[in-house]
Amino acid sequence: MRIDIVSIFPEFFGVLDISLMGKARRQGLLDVAVHDLRDFTHDRHRTVDDTPYGGGAGMVMRPEPWGEALDHVFGDAATPENTTMIVPSPAGTPFTQAVARELALEPHLVFTCGRYEGIDQRVVDHAASRVTVREISLGDYVLNGGEVAVTAMIEAIGRLVPGVVGNPASLSEESHEDGLLEYPSYTKPATWRGLDVPPVLLGGNHGAISAWRHEQQIERTRRVRPDLLD
Ligand SMILES: N#Cc1c(-c2ccc3cc[nH]c3c2)n[nH]c1N
């Protein structure tokens, strides 16, 4: 999978050089390129924003640098079938595990990190004439820009790419994979500060363990996220 990120804070994505994402990049499973939007400006101050038409607080990201940056990232080969541009936005559709699974099947993802009051709408509209565009929200709260959201999305998507996670079986036992929250986990010692590991987990009866874990998933989901059971 090829991932391109455009941001005025490219250094923000150094986190993608470490841990599982870094290993996947070194293995060639993920090809990630980060682009500085200011490299596509032509004035002395490398200006990326301007005042909003219609007035209002804050600034809007200018379309020209974005247009040139996306021209560079899309190249001549990008089509709606092979390239998906993801625009993080509080006005987007919710980012869920199901969306992560969909996007993990795409060959090329382009993430556009807005700042200020957002990106001139014409950038999104023009890109939609060239590639698939999805405006996606990390959650119902307000961030200062797209970078935090893009980092979270790339981790959630990247870990689903075959080969990135060592034991694929672990992916199927996580929260939200089967519509339920995950069961509680324990490791040694069997007793810690007077607290015991549930005996069923020590008995080696795999059928009983599996049944207990499913019961725990149902109980935890009913208690914490009853909405998932609707
Ligand atoms: N995704 C997402 C977001 C954002 C977000 C995304 C981009 C920009 C650009 C300026 N401000 C932004 C906020 N806020 N809350 C979310 N769930």
Side-chain angles (χ1 to χ4, degrees), residues 20 41 47 56 68 90 92 112 118 120 137 140 178 182 190 192 201 211 217:
L20 212 57
T41 61
T47 308
E68 291 189 29
T112 58
D120 186 298
S137 170
D140 292 339
D178 56 3
E182 59 196 16
W192 175 73
L201 299 179
Q217 282 185 278

Side-chain angles (χ1 to χ4, degrees), residues 20-185:
L20 212 57
M21 291 298 103
K23 181 181 176 187
R25 293 174 73 178
R26 289 187 291 277
Q27 290 175 319
L29 295 170
L30 296 176
D31 174 17
V32 180
V34 185
H35 310 270
D36 185 343
L37 181 67
R38 294 191 192 277
D39 289 347
F40 299 91
T41 61
H42 305 289
D43 64 301
R44 187 157 61 94
H45 298 294
R46 293 163 55 94
T47 308
V48 294
D49 64 318
D50 205 333
T51 54
Y53 276 122
M59 302 290 274
V60 175
M61 299 192 93
R62 297 170 52 231
E64 299 95 328
W66 277 107
E68 291 189 29
L70 293 175
D71 287 347
H72 174 73
V73 166
F74 291 162
D76 295 330
T79 70
E81 290 71 33
N82 67 22
T83 302
T84 297
M85 181 171 107
I86 297 158
V87 184
S89 166
T93 54
F95 184 68
T96 63
Q97 189 67 13
V99 172
R101 280 199 293 269
E102 286 171 31
L103 295 173
L105 301 173
E106 296 296 332
H108 186 196
L109 301 178
V110 178
F111 290 90
T112 58
C113 298
R115 279 275 155 174
Y116 310 104
E117 298 305 310
I119 304 170
D120 186 298
Q121 181 62 38
R122 291 168 293 180
V123 173
V124 175
D125 296 345
H126 186 265
S129 69
R130 304 168 73 181
V131 299
T132 297
V133 175
R134 298 181 69 166
E135 295 184 75
I136 298 178
S137 170
L138 194 61
D140 292 339
Y141 39 81
V142 182
L143 301 169
N144 290 328
E147 286 80 5
V148 166
V150 167
T151 303
M153 291 178 192
I154 288 175
E155 176 152 321
I157 294 162
R159 64 195 300 276
L160 297 176
V161 172
V164 171
V165 170
N167 177 9
S170 64
L171 293 175
S172 62
E173 297 177 349
E174 295 175 326
S175 288
H176 304 290
E177 267 305 322
D178 56 3
L180 298 173
L181 299 184
E182 59 196 16
Y183 50 77
S185 297

Side-chain angles (χ1 to χ4, degrees), residues 182-217:
E182 59 196 16
Y183 50 77
S185 297
Y186 301 84
T187 188
K188 293 186 284 298
T191 297
W192 175 73
R193 295 188 179 183
L195 300 172
D196 295 334
V197 170
V200 67
L201 299 179
L202 306 177
N205 179 334
H206 296 294
I209 291 169
S210 180
W212 180 86
R213 283 174 167 171
H214 186 64
E215 289 161 15
Q216 291 294 311
Q217 282 185 278

